[in-house]
Structure formats: structure tokens, C-alpha cells
Amino acid sequence: MKEKIIALITEVLQVPEGTVTETTKMEDLEQWDSLTHVMIMGELEKLGVSIPLDEAIELEGVADILEKAGVQ
């Protein structure tokens, strides 16, 4: 599941494979802005990962997303 989530984020951000890792934060990639963050949350829903909006806005990177998704 971890690999699926990282691949999903990579696809939404339209960055080369390997750019997004478990330690990637929003601030690390200029492509990861508020709009793409919302898009990532929407795509996660398709994988069955639902993160409440109030929690989603506090996420700062891949590690936070994986934690909220229950994946470590």
C-alpha cells in the first residue's frame, strides 16, 4: 500500500519516478501546492483511504499521509 500511495502522489504531482519518497515534504517540491494537495486527497479516496478535511490540511508530507492512512 505504501508503494501505491507514493506512486499516486508521484502521478498527481507529475514528477519523475523516484522523486517522491517517504521523507518528501510539500515544501520540497514546487509542484506540491494546495491544489495538488487536494487532488492527492481525492485520489487517496479511490484507494479507500479517507482522511478528514481538518486533518488533511495539517499534513505536511508523505510520512504524514502514510501515517493517517495507517501505513508504516
Side-chain angles (χ1 to χ4, degrees):
M1 184 65 139
K2 181 188 309 182
E3 291 78 19
K4 283 185 178 181
I5 292 173
I6 290 174
L8 177 149
I9 295 169
T10 300
E11 184 177 327
V12 171
L13 296 177
Q14 298 180 341
V15 294
E17 193 172 319
T19 302
V20 178
T21 66
E22 290 181 53
T23 59
T24 303
K25 294 189 174 284
M26 288 179 69
E27 63 198 35
D28 297 337
L29 299 170
E30 65 181 54
Q31 296 91 332
W32 197 341
D33 58 17
S34 57
L35 177 59
T36 53
H37 191 69
V38 170
M39 292 169 63
I40 290 167
M41 295 303 117
E43 291 297 315
L44 286 171
E45 293 270 341
K46 294 178 184 177
L47 289 180
V49 176
S50 181
I51 301 174
L53 180 60
D54 60 328
E55 294 177 19
I57 59 175
E58 295 177 3
L59 302 176
E60 296 181 0
V62 176
D64 293 341
I65 292 172
L66 293 174
E67 182 180 334
K68 288 291 180 189
V71 179
Q72 287 298 15

